[in-house]
């Protein structure tokens, strides 16, 4: 028998559930590993140039991830199939695996791979409401909009992304900031149970009673502990509330900065979710501010929004009472599409002056980008860090125990875009220079300092959000990983994402 037919035969034995000898089944190349998987999963393994392969690769949100070429893509539809894929990897010691849900990470290689194998989880797309309507079980392959479309008509919702087509898996394993986060915390704090495929291929539940350390580690631990196949999410009653985007011209920037500063310094209001974004569009050579304003009630009194809605002149306003799917569609429509992109972030306590000082730095960075890339888009968003879980509730990995620690914090996201690959290195350089300059400025006396916490879902590849969880938490994460992944599958084989160092 030739080497390939030995491999295929042994793979078939494996696929049928027998215990094949590792010596006869080891795939020495990624292509061999793809062949093994093909035997086990048939049409769920797709190769370059096929329609299904091209459709999977082209569905990443950002161009830098679409540019990667996995040797094959595996598209399971059940947790059992995911488990078999992981077991097959025992026979593929030289192959890298990328885990992908919604494909919205801008970080190259986090959910796709060049020459490795990508596990495209979008086929795990069930949404099942529990009979008591207290939870909904959501497959990791859904987009948040699918969940909202199912729950909105029932007058119910969940703590998910503010943008319709963001994926479930990356959002919740990194934290997850929702319209409801000022009231309900991170999305991950509203997961009652994770169904997870471990490195051994075992399918387990992680919740407050079963595997509680794993339960905690999955809330901010990204792909370091397992492949999450299903999330059981707590249902919330709020379904209709105030929200929309209010846009003002550059001339209103000082008033906008003032309004956000006062909002952060005022007593905390858990019903107010505000994202203030300063935007530059190179194609129009124009600056403006887009405030996404949400007030989590359908009451007729919306005076809480006055500090923002009273700023004039307004270029447009879509404020209205509506449902989650509608708001998430609107925020989606405002996203730059088909771009090479870098996201980077920092977190800091508010002072009376620091937002204005940072804004000046952003203007400088944006001016430099605009000079080099005529079509550049540059956006800087100020928003809030969600409060920690209440005392006695299950914990996440983040370094906050009391709302008094999170309420004064501002979460800054800079996102820079170009339609051209040649500009990608410059986008990286400029965003890094900007964050360095911001943190240097904040560390000067009187400017408030910098929090060690960096939001994982907004962090750049050159940032290290896991170290921001604190030394003791990182130690605990390593010990959890040693228990659930003793051979380091999620460190060595799954290379994309923030790893435990
Ligand atoms: C347009 C846009 C809007 C956004 N809006 C918000 C927002 O409102 N709030 C917010 O908090 N963030 C937001 N984000 C950031 C978003 O949360 C992250 O990009 C998140 O990673 C996206 O999840 P995904 O499943 O689409 O990502 P993917 O790119 O598929 O995955 C991201 C990472 O998570 C890992 N991963 C994915 N699924 C699993 C799984 N099932 N098990 C284990 N690991 C897994 C991947 O390996 C990868 O490292 C937004 C991003 C974009 C581009």
């Amino acid at each position: 028998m030739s080497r390939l037919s030995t491999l295929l035969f042994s793979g078939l034995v494996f696929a049928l559930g027998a215990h094949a000898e590792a010596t006869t089944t080891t795939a020495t190349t990624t292509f061999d590993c793809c062949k093994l998987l093909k035997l086990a999963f048939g049409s769920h393994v797709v190769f370059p140039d096929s329609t299904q392969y091209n459709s999977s690769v082209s569905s990443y949100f950002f161009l830098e991830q679409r540019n990667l070429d996995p040797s094959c893509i595996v598209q399971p539809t059940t947790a059992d199939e995911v488990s078999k894929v992981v077991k097959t990897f025992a026979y593929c010691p030289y192959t890298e695996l990328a885990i992908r849900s919604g494909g919205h990470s801008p970080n190259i290689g986090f959910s796709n791979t060049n020459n490795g194998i990508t596990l495209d989880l979008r086929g795990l797309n069930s949404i099942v409401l529990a009979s008591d309507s207290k939870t909904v079980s959501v497959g990791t392959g859904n987009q948040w909009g699918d969940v909202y479309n199912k729950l909105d008509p029932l007058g119910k919702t969940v703590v998910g992304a503010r943008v319709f087509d963001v994926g479930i898996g990356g959002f919740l394993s990194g934290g997850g900031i929702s319209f409801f986060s000022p009231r309900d915390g991170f999305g991950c704090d509203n997961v009652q149970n994770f169904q997870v495929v471990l490195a051994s291929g075992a399918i387990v539940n992680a919740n407050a009673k079963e595997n509680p350390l794993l339960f905690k580690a999955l809330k901010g631990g990204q792909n370091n502990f397992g492949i999450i196949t299903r999330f059981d999410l707590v249902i919330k009653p709020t379904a209709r509330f105030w929200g929309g985007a209010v846009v003002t011209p550059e001339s209103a920037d000082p008033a906008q900065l003032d309004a956000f500063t006062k909002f952060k310094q005022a007593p905390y209001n858990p019903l107010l979710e505000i994202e203030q974004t300063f935007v530059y569009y190179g194609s129009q050579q124009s600056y403006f501010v887009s405030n996404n304003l949400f007030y989590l009630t359908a009451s007729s009194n919306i005076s809480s929004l006055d500090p923002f809605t009273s700023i004039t002149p307004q270029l447009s306003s879509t404020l209205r009472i509506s449902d989650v799917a509608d708001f998430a569609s609107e925020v989606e429509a405002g996203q730059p599409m088909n771009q090479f992109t870098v996201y980077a972030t920092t977190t800091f306590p508010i002072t009376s002056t620091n937002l204005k000082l940072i804004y000046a730095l952003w203007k400088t960075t944006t001016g430099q980008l605009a000079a080099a890339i005529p079509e550049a888009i540059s956006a800087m968003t100020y928003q809030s860090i969600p409060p920690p879980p209440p005392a006695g509730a299950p914990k996440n990995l983040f370094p906050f125990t009391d709302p008094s620690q999170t309420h004064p914090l501002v979460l800054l996201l800079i996102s820079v875009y170009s339609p051209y690959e040649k500009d990608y290195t410059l986008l990286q350089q400029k965003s890094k220079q900007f964050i360095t300059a911001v943190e240097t400025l904040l560390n000067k006396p009187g400017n408030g300092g910098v929090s060690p916490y960096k939001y994982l879902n907004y962090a750049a590849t050159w940032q290290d959000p896991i170290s921001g969880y604190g030394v003791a938490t990182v130690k605990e994460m390593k010990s959890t990983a040693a228990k659930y992944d003793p051979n380091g599958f999620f460190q060595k084989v799954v290379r994309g994402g923030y790893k435990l160092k």
Side-chain angles (χ1 to χ4, degrees):
M1 240 191 292
S2 71
R3 206 191 114 50
L4 184 60
S5 53
T6 305
L7 181 71
L8 296 182
F9 172 75
S10 305
L12 187 60
V13 172
F14 174 79
L16 293 173
H19 290 286
E21 287 294 322
T23 47
T24 56
T25 56
T26 296
T28 52
T29 67
T30 299
F31 182 71
D32 284 349
C33 187
C34 285
K35 289 277 183 195
L36 270 183
L37 289 162
K38 182 81 184 162
L39 278 164
F41 299 105
S43 62
H44 289 187
V45 180
V46 296
F47 288 88
D49 295 330
S50 66
T51 311
Q52 300 96 317
Y53 179 100
N54 291 341
S55 150
S56 177
V57 170
S58 62
S59 66
Y60 284 87
F61 192 75
F62 294 112
L63 294 181
E64 64 274 9
Q65 289 255 66
R66 282 186 218 165
N67 259 5
L68 303 184
D69 287 316
S71 295
C72 62
I73 300 174
V74 192
Q75 301 183 308
T77 55
T78 64
D80 273 342
E81 286 180 356
V82 174
S83 159
K84 282 186 186 134
V85 172
V86 172
K87 286 178 180 163
T88 304
F89 261 76
Y91 300 89
C92 304
Y94 308 106
T95 298
E96 174 183 350
L97 178 69
I99 302 167
R100 177 250 161 107
S101 287
H104 270 57
S105 171
N107 293 340
I108 292 184
F110 271 40
S111 49
N112 201 5
T113 162
N114 241 351
N115 304 320
I117 294 177
T118 296
L119 184 63
D120 174 355
L121 295 165
R122 288 176 304 153
L124 281 85
N125 56 5
S126 63
I127 304 174
V128 180
L129 195 62
S131 53
D132 62 5
S133 290
K134 288 189 175 154
T135 56
V136 59
S137 296
V138 175
T140 188
N142 285 288
Q143 299 181 339
W144 283 104
D146 302 327
V147 186
Y148 302 149
N149 275 340
K150 182 133 185 173
L151 295 181
D152 276 344
L154 306 175
K156 300 177 191 307
T157 197
V158 286
V159 183
R162 295 163 296 196
V163 178
F164 198 90
D165 65 359
V166 168
I168 311 289
F171 175 88
L172 286 174
S173 62
I177 303 178
S178 151
F179 299 125
F180 305 106
S181 284
R183 187 188 68 194
D184 298 325
F186 279 100
C188 65
D189 295 327
N190 295 276
V191 178
Q192 197 175 75
N193 177 62
F194 297 90
Q195 182 193 61
V196 196
V197 174
L198 300 177
S200 63
I203 303 173
V204 301
N205 287 310
N207 53 54
K209 292 199 174 121
E210 284 175 88
N211 300 303
L213 275 177
L214 181 62
F215 186 46
K216 179 177 173 189
L218 294 170
K219 298 183 209 171
Q222 209 183 33
N223 59 23
N224 279 295
F225 301 95
I227 301 171
I228 307 161
T229 43
R230 196 192 75 219
F231 299 80
D232 300 337
L233 306 176
V234 175
I235 297 261
K236 304 284 170 182
T238 312
R240 290 183 70 77
F241 52 96
W242 278 97
V246 177
V247 179
T248 57
E250 187 183 6
S251 59
D253 287 2
Q256 290 286 3
L257 289 159
D258 214 38
F260 202 87
T261 302
K262 289 193 175 124
F263 160 65
K264 288 303 297 178
Q265 291 180 324
Y268 187 70
N269 184 344
L271 298 182
L272 272 182
E273 207 272 322
I274 314 273
E275 302 138 58
Q276 179 173 81
T277 304
F278 297 85
V279 188
Y280 172 78
Y281 260 93
S283 58
Q284 297 153 18
Q285 297 189 343
S286 71
Y287 284 93
F288 59 91
V289 173
S290 177
N291 280 331
N292 288 338
L293 306 175
F294 299 96
Y295 185 48
L296 305 179
T297 157
S299 123
S300 55
N301 178 0
I302 54 167
S303 56
S304 301
L305 293 173
D306 284 354
F308 294 96
T309 52
S310 62
I311 296 172
T312 54
Q314 281 186 4
L315 297 175
S316 62
S317 169
T318 61
L319 268 187
R320 68 216 182 267
I321 294 172
S322 193
D323 60 24
V324 187
D326 184 36
F327 289 133
S329 301
E330 181 186 2
V331 185
E332 164 112 25
Q335 303 296 319
M337 303 294 285
N338 299 320
Q339 302 285 323
F340 290 88
T341 305
V342 176
Y343 278 17
T345 187
T346 190
T347 307
F348 56 90
I350 188 77
T351 70
S352 302
T353 51
N354 60 13
L355 295 190
K356 289 175 200 140
L357 297 171
I358 293 168
Y359 166 81
L361 290 176
W362 175 73
K363 274 285 191 81
T364 304
T365 298
T366 300
Q368 291 165 352
L369 265 182
I373 310 172
E375 294 97 329
I377 301 170
S378 173
M380 178 179 70
T381 303
Y382 292 140
Q383 57 187 301
S384 298
I385 297 280
K395 292 188 167 37
N396 57 37
L397 294 172
F398 311 137
F400 308 113
T401 49
D402 190 278
S404 63
Q405 297 169 309
T406 48
H407 290 346
L409 292 180
V410 178
L411 169 61
L412 180 156
L413 165 68
I414 181 168
S415 46
V416 286
Y417 308 79
S418 166
Y420 308 115
E421 186 176 8
K422 67 177 175 49
D423 299 326
Y424 188 71
T425 307
L426 187 66
L427 298 179
Q428 289 280 7
Q429 280 168 358
K430 286 293 161 201
S431 54
K432 190 171 184 179
Q433 277 169 12
F434 172 73
I435 293 293
T436 306
V438 168
E439 294 189 341
T440 305
L441 175 99
L442 289 167
N443 279 326
K444 288 191 176 148
N447 287 343
V450 180
S451 165
Y453 174 75
K454 309 281 176 265
Y455 180 37
L456 183 144
N457 281 342
Y458 288 171
T461 44
W462 41 266
Q463 298 192 287
D464 181 13
I466 287 180
S467 73
Y469 297 168
V471 175
T473 301
V474 173
K475 197 170 162 203
E476 183 184 298
M477 290 169 82
K478 285 183 179 163
S479 121
T480 305
K483 177 173 175 192
Y484 289 97
D485 180 17
N487 297 321
F489 180 83
F490 289 101
Q491 304 305 310
K492 293 183 251 175
V493 178
V494 178
R495 286 177 221 155
Y498 297 105
K499 300 287 105 178
L500 303 174
K501 292 192 177 128

